[in-house]
Short mmCIF file of all heavy atoms in Angstrom, two decimals:
data_model
loop_
_atom_site.label_atom_id
_atom_site.label_comp_id
_atom_site.label_asym_id
_atom_site.label_seq_id
_atom_site.Cartn_x
_atom_site.Cartn_y
_atom_site.Cartn_z
N GLY A 692 90.74 146.71 130.83
CA GLY A 692 90.52 148.15 130.85
C GLY A 692 91.43 148.87 129.86
O GLY A 692 90.99 149.81 129.18
N LEU A 693 92.67 148.43 129.79
CA LEU A 693 93.60 149.04 128.83
C LEU A 693 93.19 148.77 127.39
O LEU A 693 93.29 149.65 126.53
CB LEU A 693 95.03 148.52 129.09
CG LEU A 693 95.68 148.96 130.40
CD1 LEU A 693 96.97 148.18 130.64
CD2 LEU A 693 95.95 150.45 130.38
N GLN A 694 92.71 147.56 127.13
CA GLN A 694 92.24 147.22 125.79
C GLN A 694 91.07 148.11 125.38
O GLN A 694 90.98 148.56 124.24
CB GLN A 694 91.83 145.74 125.71
CG GLN A 694 92.97 144.78 125.72
CD GLN A 694 93.69 144.70 124.37
OE1 GLN A 694 93.41 145.45 123.46
NE2 GLN A 694 94.64 143.80 124.28
N SER A 695 90.17 148.34 126.32
CA SER A 695 89.01 149.21 126.05
C SER A 695 89.47 150.63 125.72
O SER A 695 88.99 151.23 124.76
CB SER A 695 88.07 149.21 127.26
OG SER A 695 87.00 150.10 127.04
N SER A 696 90.40 151.14 126.50
CA SER A 696 90.93 152.48 126.24
C SER A 696 91.65 152.54 124.90
O SER A 696 91.53 153.52 124.16
CB SER A 696 91.89 152.89 127.35
OG SER A 696 91.19 152.99 128.58
N LEU A 697 92.38 151.48 124.57
CA LEU A 697 93.09 151.40 123.31
C LEU A 697 92.11 151.43 122.13
O LEU A 697 92.33 152.14 121.15
CB LEU A 697 93.95 150.14 123.26
CG LEU A 697 94.70 149.88 121.96
CD1 LEU A 697 95.70 150.99 121.68
CD2 LEU A 697 95.40 148.52 122.02
N THR A 698 91.03 150.68 122.25
CA THR A 698 90.01 150.66 121.20
C THR A 698 89.45 152.05 120.96
O THR A 698 89.32 152.49 119.81
CB THR A 698 88.87 149.68 121.57
OG1 THR A 698 89.43 148.37 121.71
CG2 THR A 698 87.79 149.67 120.52
N HIS A 699 89.14 152.77 122.03
CA HIS A 699 88.59 154.13 121.90
C HIS A 699 89.61 155.08 121.28
O HIS A 699 89.26 155.91 120.44
CB HIS A 699 88.11 154.65 123.25
CG HIS A 699 86.91 153.94 123.77
ND1 HIS A 699 85.68 154.00 123.17
CD2 HIS A 699 86.75 153.14 124.84
CE1 HIS A 699 84.81 153.27 123.84
NE2 HIS A 699 85.45 152.72 124.88
N ALA A 700 90.86 154.97 121.67
CA ALA A 700 91.91 155.84 121.11
C ALA A 700 92.07 155.57 119.61
O ALA A 700 92.18 156.50 118.81
CB ALA A 700 93.23 155.63 121.84
N GLU A 701 92.07 154.30 119.23
CA GLU A 701 92.21 153.95 117.82
C GLU A 701 91.01 154.43 117.00
O GLU A 701 91.16 154.86 115.86
CB GLU A 701 92.42 152.45 117.66
CG GLU A 701 93.80 152.02 118.13
CD GLU A 701 94.01 150.52 118.10
OE1 GLU A 701 93.02 149.76 118.14
OE2 GLU A 701 95.18 150.11 118.03
N GLU A 702 89.80 154.37 117.59
CA GLU A 702 88.61 154.87 116.91
C GLU A 702 88.71 156.38 116.68
O GLU A 702 88.36 156.88 115.61
CB GLU A 702 87.35 154.56 117.72
CG GLU A 702 86.95 153.10 117.68
CD GLU A 702 85.81 152.76 118.64
OE1 GLU A 702 85.33 153.66 119.36
OE2 GLU A 702 85.40 151.59 118.67
N LYS A 703 89.19 157.11 117.67
CA LYS A 703 89.35 158.57 117.55
C LYS A 703 90.38 158.90 116.47
O LYS A 703 90.18 159.83 115.68
CB LYS A 703 89.76 159.20 118.88
CG LYS A 703 88.63 159.29 119.88
CD LYS A 703 87.58 160.25 119.38
CE LYS A 703 86.45 160.34 120.38
NZ LYS A 703 85.34 161.14 119.88
N ILE A 704 91.47 158.16 116.44
CA ILE A 704 92.49 158.39 115.41
C ILE A 704 91.90 158.13 114.03
O ILE A 704 92.12 158.90 113.09
CB ILE A 704 93.74 157.53 115.68
CG1 ILE A 704 94.45 158.02 116.94
CG2 ILE A 704 94.68 157.56 114.48
CD1 ILE A 704 95.55 157.11 117.43
N ALA A 705 91.13 157.06 113.89
CA ALA A 705 90.50 156.73 112.60
C ALA A 705 89.52 157.83 112.19
O ALA A 705 89.46 158.21 111.01
CB ALA A 705 89.80 155.38 112.68
N GLN A 706 88.75 158.36 113.15
CA GLN A 706 87.82 159.45 112.85
C GLN A 706 88.57 160.69 112.37
O GLN A 706 88.17 161.34 111.41
CB GLN A 706 86.99 159.80 114.08
CG GLN A 706 85.96 158.78 114.46
CD GLN A 706 85.30 159.09 115.80
OE1 GLN A 706 85.56 160.11 116.41
NE2 GLN A 706 84.45 158.18 116.26
N LEU A 707 89.67 161.01 113.05
CA LEU A 707 90.47 162.17 112.65
C LEU A 707 91.07 161.98 111.27
O LEU A 707 91.07 162.91 110.46
CB LEU A 707 91.58 162.42 113.66
CG LEU A 707 91.19 163.17 114.92
CD1 LEU A 707 92.38 163.27 115.86
CD2 LEU A 707 90.67 164.55 114.60
N ASP A 708 91.58 160.78 111.00
CA ASP A 708 92.16 160.51 109.68
C ASP A 708 91.11 160.66 108.59
O ASP A 708 91.39 161.22 107.52
CB ASP A 708 92.79 159.12 109.65
CG ASP A 708 94.07 159.03 110.48
OD1 ASP A 708 94.62 160.10 110.84
OD2 ASP A 708 94.50 157.90 110.76
N ALA A 709 89.90 160.18 108.84
CA ALA A 709 88.82 160.32 107.86
C ALA A 709 88.44 161.80 107.68
O ALA A 709 88.21 162.26 106.56
CB ALA A 709 87.60 159.52 108.31
N GLN A 710 88.40 162.54 108.78
CA GLN A 710 88.08 163.97 108.73
C GLN A 710 89.14 164.72 107.93
O GLN A 710 88.82 165.55 107.08
CB GLN A 710 88.01 164.52 110.15
CG GLN A 710 87.78 166.00 110.25
CD GLN A 710 87.85 166.48 111.70
OE1 GLN A 710 87.82 165.70 112.64
NE2 GLN A 710 87.95 167.77 111.87
N ILE A 711 90.41 164.41 108.17
CA ILE A 711 91.51 165.06 107.45
C ILE A 711 91.43 164.72 105.97
O ILE A 711 91.61 165.58 105.11
CB ILE A 711 92.86 164.65 108.06
CG1 ILE A 711 93.00 165.26 109.46
CG2 ILE A 711 94.02 165.07 107.17
CD1 ILE A 711 94.15 164.68 110.28
N ALA A 712 91.15 163.46 105.64
CA ALA A 712 91.05 163.04 104.24
C ALA A 712 89.92 163.76 103.53
O ALA A 712 90.06 164.18 102.38
CB ALA A 712 90.85 161.53 104.16
N ARG A 713 88.78 163.94 104.21
CA ARG A 713 87.64 164.64 103.60
C ARG A 713 87.99 166.09 103.31
O ARG A 713 87.61 166.64 102.29
CB ARG A 713 86.42 164.58 104.51
CG ARG A 713 85.68 163.27 104.46
CD ARG A 713 84.32 163.36 105.15
NE ARG A 713 84.39 163.83 106.52
CZ ARG A 713 84.58 163.05 107.59
NH1 ARG A 713 84.73 161.75 107.42
NH2 ARG A 713 84.62 163.55 108.80
N LYS A 714 88.72 166.72 104.20
CA LYS A 714 89.09 168.12 104.01
C LYS A 714 90.09 168.30 102.88
O LYS A 714 90.16 169.36 102.28
CB LYS A 714 89.65 168.71 105.31
CG LYS A 714 88.60 168.97 106.33
CD LYS A 714 89.17 169.67 107.54
CE LYS A 714 88.06 169.96 108.54
NZ LYS A 714 88.55 170.69 109.68
N GLN A 715 90.88 167.27 102.58
CA GLN A 715 91.89 167.38 101.54
C GLN A 715 91.33 167.08 100.15
O GLN A 715 92.01 167.32 99.16
CB GLN A 715 93.06 166.44 101.85
CG GLN A 715 93.84 166.89 103.06
CD GLN A 715 94.93 165.92 103.45
OE1 GLN A 715 94.98 164.80 102.97
NE2 GLN A 715 95.82 166.35 104.32
N GLU A 716 90.12 166.55 100.07
CA GLU A 716 89.53 166.25 98.78
C GLU A 716 89.12 167.54 98.08
O GLU A 716 88.62 168.47 98.70
CB GLU A 716 88.29 165.37 98.95
CG GLU A 716 88.59 163.97 99.41
CD GLU A 716 87.34 163.14 99.60
OE1 GLU A 716 86.23 163.66 99.39
OE2 GLU A 716 87.48 161.97 99.98
#
């Protein structure tokens, strides 16, 4: 269960990082 939650948290962080990178271009 913790691994599943970790995967989702890491996916959200990756989405945010991509969103931030797009805005800075």
Side-chain angles (χ1 to χ4, degrees):
L693 292 170
Q694 287 284 6
S695 177
S696 296
L697 177 62
T698 299
H699 292 294
E701 289 175 337
E702 287 172 359
K703 285 294 180 186
I704 292 170
Q706 289 172 4
L707 279 177
D708 289 345
Q710 176 186 346
I711 291 167
R713 281 192 304 272
K714 286 186 178 182
Q715 292 175 348
E716 291 178 359

